[in-house]
mmCIF file of all heavy atoms in Angstrom:
data_model
loop_
_atom_site.group_PDB
_atom_site.id
_atom_site.type_symbol
_atom_site.label_atom_id
_atom_site.label_comp_id
_atom_site.label_asym_id
_atom_site.label_seq_id
_atom_site.Cartn_x
_atom_site.Cartn_y
_atom_site.Cartn_z
ATOM 1 N N ARG A 1 -7.332 36.162 -0.799
ATOM 2 C CA ARG A 1 -8.136 37.348 -0.451
ATOM 3 C C ARG A 1 -7.418 38.159 0.597
ATOM 4 O O ARG A 1 -6.832 37.600 1.553
ATOM 5 C CB ARG A 1 -9.488 36.882 0.057
ATOM 6 C CG ARG A 1 -10.403 37.971 0.595
ATOM 7 C CD ARG A 1 -11.265 38.586 -0.457
ATOM 8 N NE ARG A 1 -12.248 39.470 0.139
ATOM 9 C CZ ARG A 1 -13.504 39.131 0.416
ATOM 10 N NH1 ARG A 1 -13.901 37.902 0.168
ATOM 11 N NH2 ARG A 1 -14.336 40.025 0.985
ATOM 12 N N SER A 2 -7.426 39.445 0.500
ATOM 13 C CA SER A 2 -6.852 40.337 1.513
ATOM 14 C C SER A 2 -7.977 40.959 2.313
ATOM 15 O O SER A 2 -9.005 41.416 1.726
ATOM 16 C CB SER A 2 -6.033 41.474 0.863
ATOM 17 O OG SER A 2 -4.853 40.930 0.299
ATOM 18 N N ILE A 3 -7.847 40.939 3.623
ATOM 19 C CA ILE A 3 -8.868 41.516 4.497
ATOM 20 C C ILE A 3 -8.187 42.378 5.545
ATOM 21 O O ILE A 3 -6.979 42.220 5.789
ATOM 22 C CB ILE A 3 -9.717 40.433 5.180
ATOM 23 C CG1 ILE A 3 -8.852 39.514 6.077
ATOM 24 C CG2 ILE A 3 -10.507 39.605 4.206
ATOM 25 C CD1 ILE A 3 -9.626 38.563 6.926
ATOM 26 N N GLU A 4 -8.921 43.255 6.161
ATOM 27 C CA GLU A 4 -8.392 44.056 7.259
ATOM 28 C C GLU A 4 -8.149 43.174 8.473
ATOM 29 O O GLU A 4 -8.944 42.252 8.737
ATOM 30 C CB GLU A 4 -9.330 45.182 7.619
ATOM 31 C CG GLU A 4 -9.488 46.261 6.550
ATOM 32 C CD GLU A 4 -10.426 47.348 6.984
ATOM 33 O OE1 GLU A 4 -10.957 47.285 8.085
ATOM 34 O OE2 GLU A 4 -10.582 48.319 6.209
ATOM 35 N N GLU A 5 -7.075 43.447 9.197
ATOM 36 C CA GLU A 5 -6.854 42.713 10.441
ATOM 37 C C GLU A 5 -8.037 42.919 11.395
ATOM 38 O O GLU A 5 -8.587 44.021 11.469
ATOM 39 C CB GLU A 5 -5.545 43.201 11.122
ATOM 40 C CG GLU A 5 -4.303 42.744 10.404
ATOM 41 C CD GLU A 5 -3.049 43.136 11.188
ATOM 42 O OE1 GLU A 5 -3.181 43.615 12.315
ATOM 43 O OE2 GLU A 5 -1.930 42.978 10.636
ATOM 44 N N GLY A 6 -8.417 41.867 12.084
ATOM 45 C CA GLY A 6 -9.535 41.953 13.009
ATOM 46 C C GLY A 6 -10.877 41.679 12.400
ATOM 47 O O GLY A 6 -11.903 41.729 13.078
ATOM 48 N N THR A 7 -10.901 41.392 11.095
ATOM 49 C CA THR A 7 -12.178 41.122 10.441
ATOM 50 C C THR A 7 -12.772 39.822 10.994
ATOM 51 O O THR A 7 -12.090 38.802 11.102
ATOM 52 C CB THR A 7 -11.979 40.973 8.914
ATOM 53 O OG1 THR A 7 -11.531 42.189 8.373
ATOM 54 C CG2 THR A 7 -13.291 40.567 8.225
ATOM 55 N N THR A 8 -14.048 39.863 11.299
ATOM 56 C CA THR A 8 -14.744 38.670 11.816
ATOM 57 C C THR A 8 -15.414 37.935 10.666
ATOM 58 O O THR A 8 -15.581 38.493 9.553
ATOM 59 C CB THR A 8 -15.813 39.055 12.841
ATOM 60 O OG1 THR A 8 -16.826 39.855 12.206
ATOM 61 C CG2 THR A 8 -15.215 39.811 14.012
ATOM 62 N N GLY A 9 -15.842 36.725 10.949
ATOM 63 C CA GLY A 9 -16.640 35.998 9.958
ATOM 64 C C GLY A 9 -17.935 36.689 9.622
ATOM 65 O O GLY A 9 -18.408 36.646 8.483
ATOM 66 N N THR A 10 -18.509 37.371 10.624
ATOM 67 C CA THR A 10 -19.770 38.106 10.379
ATOM 68 C C THR A 10 -19.548 39.161 9.288
ATOM 69 O O THR A 10 -20.380 39.290 8.355
ATOM 70 C CB THR A 10 -20.233 38.771 11.673
ATOM 71 O OG1 THR A 10 -20.388 37.818 12.696
ATOM 72 C CG2 THR A 10 -21.553 39.524 11.429
ATOM 73 N N ALA A 11 -18.445 39.916 9.383
ATOM 74 C CA ALA A 11 -18.185 40.919 8.389
ATOM 75 C C ALA A 11 -17.793 40.327 7.032
ATOM 76 O O ALA A 11 -18.180 40.796 5.959
ATOM 77 C CB ALA A 11 -17.046 41.842 8.866
ATOM 78 N N LEU A 12 -17.039 39.214 7.104
ATOM 79 C CA LEU A 12 -16.543 38.573 5.873
ATOM 80 C C LEU A 12 -17.710 38.045 5.038
ATOM 81 O O LEU A 12 -17.663 38.101 3.795
ATOM 82 C CB LEU A 12 -15.612 37.418 6.254
ATOM 83 C CG LEU A 12 -14.811 36.770 5.118
ATOM 84 C CD1 LEU A 12 -13.891 37.777 4.414
ATOM 85 C CD2 LEU A 12 -13.976 35.613 5.658
ATOM 86 N N PHE A 13 -18.743 37.558 5.687
ATOM 87 C CA PHE A 13 -19.846 36.919 4.952
ATOM 88 C C PHE A 13 -21.152 37.723 5.091
ATOM 89 O O PHE A 13 -22.235 37.180 4.936
ATOM 90 C CB PHE A 13 -20.089 35.492 5.480
ATOM 91 C CG PHE A 13 -18.927 34.557 5.223
ATOM 92 C CD1 PHE A 13 -18.103 34.174 6.250
ATOM 93 C CD2 PHE A 13 -18.709 34.067 3.953
ATOM 94 C CE1 PHE A 13 -17.050 33.322 6.038
ATOM 95 C CE2 PHE A 13 -17.646 33.225 3.721
ATOM 96 C CZ PHE A 13 -16.788 32.841 4.760
ATOM 97 N N GLU A 14 -21.026 39.041 5.348
ATOM 98 C CA GLU A 14 -22.216 39.842 5.592
ATOM 99 C C GLU A 14 -23.165 39.885 4.388
ATOM 100 O O GLU A 14 -24.370 40.100 4.550
ATOM 101 C CB GLU A 14 -21.831 41.259 5.999
ATOM 102 C CG GLU A 14 -21.072 42.033 4.953
ATOM 103 C CD GLU A 14 -20.712 43.449 5.448
ATOM 104 O OE1 GLU A 14 -21.313 43.867 6.467
ATOM 105 O OE2 GLU A 14 -19.817 44.086 4.833
ATOM 106 N N ALA A 15 -22.625 39.635 3.179
ATOM 107 C CA ALA A 15 -23.471 39.705 2.007
ATOM 108 C C ALA A 15 -24.210 38.393 1.724
ATOM 109 O O ALA A 15 -25.064 38.355 0.837
ATOM 110 C CB ALA A 15 -22.625 40.086 0.790
ATOM 111 N N ASP A 16 -23.866 37.353 2.460
ATOM 112 C CA ASP A 16 -24.502 36.055 2.224
ATOM 113 C C ASP A 16 -25.208 35.587 3.475
ATOM 114 O O ASP A 16 -24.609 35.086 4.406
ATOM 115 C CB ASP A 16 -23.410 35.026 1.843
ATOM 116 C CG ASP A 16 -24.023 33.732 1.307
ATOM 117 O OD1 ASP A 16 -25.214 33.490 1.561
ATOM 118 O OD2 ASP A 16 -23.297 32.973 0.673
ATOM 119 N N ARG A 17 -26.487 35.763 3.512
ATOM 120 C CA ARG A 17 -27.275 35.453 4.708
ATOM 121 C C ARG A 17 -27.452 33.945 4.940
ATOM 122 O O ARG A 17 -27.882 33.532 6.010
ATOM 123 C CB ARG A 17 -28.676 36.085 4.616
ATOM 124 C CG ARG A 17 -28.619 37.605 4.685
ATOM 125 C CD ARG A 17 -30.000 38.213 4.814
ATOM 126 N NE ARG A 17 -29.969 39.657 4.959
ATOM 127 C CZ ARG A 17 -31.010 40.424 5.172
ATOM 128 N NH1 ARG A 17 -32.213 39.868 5.223
ATOM 129 N NH2 ARG A 17 -30.889 41.712 5.296
ATOM 130 N N ASP A 18 -27.094 33.132 3.948
ATOM 131 C CA ASP A 18 -27.185 31.677 4.120
ATOM 132 C C ASP A 18 -26.047 31.127 4.968
ATOM 133 O O ASP A 18 -26.117 30.002 5.469
ATOM 134 C CB ASP A 18 -27.150 30.977 2.739
ATOM 135 C CG ASP A 18 -28.423 31.207 1.963
ATOM 136 O OD1 ASP A 18 -29.462 31.480 2.595
ATOM 137 O OD2 ASP A 18 -28.375 31.133 0.715
ATOM 138 N N VAL A 19 -24.984 31.920 5.155
ATOM 139 C CA VAL A 19 -23.815 31.453 5.892
ATOM 140 C C VAL A 19 -24.079 31.684 7.379
ATOM 141 O O VAL A 19 -24.375 32.783 7.846
ATOM 142 C CB VAL A 19 -22.542 32.218 5.454
ATOM 143 C CG1 VAL A 19 -21.367 31.756 6.303
ATOM 144 C CG2 VAL A 19 -22.263 31.934 3.984
ATOM 145 N N VAL A 20 -23.944 30.603 8.178
ATOM 146 C CA VAL A 20 -24.221 30.693 9.617
ATOM 147 C C VAL A 20 -22.990 30.399 10.450
ATOM 148 O O VAL A 20 -22.987 30.607 11.672
ATOM 149 C CB VAL A 20 -25.345 29.679 10.018
ATOM 150 C CG1 VAL A 20 -26.662 30.064 9.348
ATOM 151 C CG2 VAL A 20 -24.930 28.243 9.670
ATOM 152 N N ALA A 21 -21.897 29.954 9.850
ATOM 153 C CA ALA A 21 -20.651 29.684 10.530
ATOM 154 C C ALA A 21 -19.560 29.582 9.457
ATOM 155 O O ALA A 21 -19.832 29.739 8.271
ATOM 156 C CB ALA A 21 -20.734 28.409 11.368
ATOM 157 N N MET A 22 -18.356 29.320 9.878
ATOM 158 C CA MET A 22 -17.255 29.184 8.910
ATOM 159 C C MET A 22 -16.292 28.103 9.334
ATOM 160 O O MET A 22 -16.204 27.788 10.512
ATOM 161 C CB MET A 22 -16.533 30.526 8.754
ATOM 162 C CG MET A 22 -15.923 31.047 10.063
ATOM 163 S SD MET A 22 -15.130 32.659 9.898
ATOM 164 C CE MET A 22 -14.753 33.084 11.588
ATOM 165 N N LYS A 23 -15.597 27.569 8.361
ATOM 166 C CA LYS A 23 -14.487 26.686 8.666
ATOM 167 C C LYS A 23 -13.197 27.447 8.565
ATOM 168 O O LYS A 23 -12.955 28.124 7.547
ATOM 169 C CB LYS A 23 -14.458 25.488 7.688
ATOM 170 C CG LYS A 23 -15.359 24.337 8.077
ATOM 171 C CD LYS A 23 -15.091 23.125 7.198
ATOM 172 C CE LYS A 23 -15.918 21.922 7.633
ATOM 173 N NZ LYS A 23 -15.665 20.748 6.771
ATOM 174 N N VAL A 24 -12.387 27.363 9.574
ATOM 175 C CA VAL A 24 -11.080 28.019 9.593
ATOM 176 C C VAL A 24 -10.045 26.912 9.709
ATOM 177 O O VAL A 24 -9.985 26.202 10.735
ATOM 178 C CB VAL A 24 -10.963 29.027 10.739
ATOM 179 C CG1 VAL A 24 -9.568 29.625 10.795
ATOM 180 C CG2 VAL A 24 -12.015 30.129 10.582
ATOM 181 N N ASP A 25 -9.252 26.722 8.651
ATOM 182 C CA ASP A 25 -8.268 25.644 8.602
ATOM 183 C C ASP A 25 -8.895 24.305 8.922
ATOM 184 O O ASP A 25 -8.364 23.499 9.662
ATOM 185 C CB ASP A 25 -7.106 25.945 9.562
ATOM 186 C CG ASP A 25 -6.327 27.188 9.142
ATOM 187 O OD1 ASP A 25 -6.285 27.495 7.944
ATOM 188 O OD2 ASP A 25 -5.784 27.869 10.031
ATOM 189 N N GLY A 26 -10.118 24.130 8.385
ATOM 190 C CA GLY A 26 -10.788 22.847 8.529
ATOM 191 C C GLY A 26 -11.640 22.692 9.744
ATOM 192 O O GLY A 26 -12.391 21.704 9.867
ATOM 193 N N GLU A 27 -11.597 23.629 10.716
ATOM 194 C CA GLU A 27 -12.355 23.534 11.952
ATOM 195 C C GLU A 27 -13.531 24.514 11.918
ATOM 196 O O GLU A 27 -13.378 25.681 11.603
ATOM 197 C CB GLU A 27 -11.459 23.836 13.154
ATOM 198 C CG GLU A 27 -10.362 22.825 13.402
ATOM 199 C CD GLU A 27 -10.941 21.477 13.797
ATOM 200 O OE1 GLU A 27 -11.936 21.415 14.499
ATOM 201 O OE2 GLU A 27 -10.371 20.434 13.334
ATOM 202 N N PRO A 28 -14.754 24.049 12.325
ATOM 203 C CA PRO A 28 -15.883 24.961 12.367
ATOM 204 C C PRO A 28 -15.721 26.029 13.446
ATOM 205 O O PRO A 28 -15.349 25.706 14.579
ATOM 206 C CB PRO A 28 -17.069 24.016 12.714
ATOM 207 C CG PRO A 28 -16.597 22.655 12.360
ATOM 208 C CD PRO A 28 -15.119 22.631 12.607
ATOM 209 N N TRP A 29 -15.988 27.255 13.098
ATOM 210 C CA TRP A 29 -15.883 28.426 14.023
ATOM 211 C C TRP A 29 -17.167 29.221 13.986
ATOM 212 O O TRP A 29 -17.886 29.246 12.970
ATOM 213 C CB TRP A 29 -14.712 29.330 13.599
ATOM 214 C CG TRP A 29 -13.358 28.895 14.015
ATOM 215 C CD1 TRP A 29 -12.916 27.641 14.241
ATOM 216 C CD2 TRP A 29 -12.229 29.782 14.212
ATOM 217 N NE1 TRP A 29 -11.608 27.637 14.569
ATOM 218 C CE2 TRP A 29 -11.140 28.945 14.589
ATOM 219 C CE3 TRP A 29 -12.039 31.149 14.134
ATOM 220 C CZ2 TRP A 29 -9.866 29.443 14.854
ATOM 221 C CZ3 TRP A 29 -10.776 31.671 14.423
ATOM 222 C CH2 TRP A 29 -9.705 30.844 14.772
ATOM 223 N N ASP A 30 -17.409 29.955 15.086
ATOM 224 C CA ASP A 30 -18.476 30.959 15.085
ATOM 225 C C ASP A 30 -18.136 32.080 14.150
ATOM 226 O O ASP A 30 -16.941 32.466 13.989
ATOM 227 C CB ASP A 30 -18.644 31.547 16.478
ATOM 228 C CG ASP A 30 -18.963 30.519 17.519
ATOM 229 O OD1 ASP A 30 -19.970 29.857 17.400
ATOM 230 O OD2 ASP A 30 -18.163 30.388 18.495
ATOM 231 N N LEU A 31 -19.152 32.718 13.538
ATOM 232 C CA LEU A 31 -18.895 33.858 12.670
ATOM 233 C C LEU A 31 -18.344 35.072 13.435
ATOM 234 O O LEU A 31 -17.633 35.896 12.855
ATOM 235 C CB LEU A 31 -20.202 34.297 11.974
ATOM 236 C CG LEU A 31 -20.686 33.341 10.845
ATOM 237 C CD1 LEU A 31 -22.003 33.889 10.272
ATOM 238 C CD2 LEU A 31 -19.656 33.213 9.726
ATOM 239 N N ALA A 32 -18.642 35.148 14.727
ATOM 240 C CA ALA A 32 -18.231 36.319 15.493
ATOM 241 C C ALA A 32 -16.732 36.345 15.769
ATOM 242 O O ALA A 32 -16.189 37.349 16.215
ATOM 243 C CB ALA A 32 -18.983 36.359 16.818
#
């Protein structure tokens, strides 16, 4: 997937309200 530099998890998953955090390279991160 290609995204704009500086994109946050909040923007990346804005269409899915069930998502509350994200894993980045296997580590849990805040969406912000």
Side-chain angles (χ1 to χ4, degrees):
R1 173 88 172 263
S2 291
I3 60 172
E4 292 182 358
E5 287 186 9
T7 297
T8 64
T10 303
L12 189 62
F13 295 105
E14 62 181 345
D16 192 342
R17 294 189 176 184
D18 290 335
V19 177
V20 296
M22 59 182 172
K23 275 189 176 180
V24 176
D25 296 331
E27 293 295 322
W29 280 28
D30 302 299
L31 286 180

